[in-house]
Amino acid sequence: REAFDVSNLLISRSGATIISEMACLGKPAILVPYPFATDNHQEKNARALEKLGGAVVILDRDLTEDALTLQLEKLFQPGVLGKMGEAMRSGRPQDVEDKIYQQILPILL
């Protein structure tokens, strides 16, 4: 978690757990979906965040040094990462922890 805290940009696959962390922390990302994920769910996750403006997607087959360098140059323009971070936060449902708690409370009692 400490690495997340000091990072300006994350480069990652796009499984549910990692994108949840990104949304909670408002971290912009370059996402490289795992191409063999069941039902292509990682690309679907990544595309949803890309549509919000919080991430850029590079498909595994397109990931090259040049493609990554090009994206990094675009993203490190003034103000871009800040806007992406805000967009990433907007992908997180409001009061999600309380909603989960309210759902499991009857089971716990």
Side-chain angles (χ1 to χ4, degrees):
R1 164 98 189 210
E2 290 174 9
F4 273 40
D5 291 340
V6 298
S7 298
N8 294 324
L9 174 71
L10 303 175
I11 301 173
S12 175
R13 294 294 192 185
S14 49
T17 302
I18 191 70
I19 64 168
S20 295
E21 289 290 325
M22 290 175 191
C24 284
L25 297 171
K27 294 294 180 174
I30 295 175
L31 298 174
V32 184
Y34 179 64
F36 305 108
T38 304
D39 296 325
N40 200 27
H41 75 272
Q42 285 207 10
E43 185 175 350
K44 291 172 187 173
N45 293 344
R47 295 292 181 194
L49 293 174
E50 182 178 55
K51 186 175 180 180
L52 283 174
V56 171
V57 177
I58 302 176
L59 297 179
D60 200 77
R61 67 176 178 261
D62 300 329
L63 183 61
T64 63
E65 182 179 342
D66 288 342
L68 185 57
T69 300
L70 178 65
Q71 286 304 321
L72 290 170
E73 288 172 353
K74 289 179 182 179
L75 298 178
F76 280 101
Q77 295 296 311
V80 173
L81 292 178
K83 289 179 186 175
M84 288 178 71
E86 289 300 317
M88 187 64 83
R89 268 188 213 90
S90 76
R92 183 175 185 273
Q94 292 290 330
D95 303 321
V96 68
E97 293 87 358
D98 187 55
K99 289 177 183 176
I100 293 169
Y101 175 72
Q102 294 302 322
Q103 292 295 311
I104 63 171
L105 185 60
I107 297 167
L108 299 174
L109 298 176

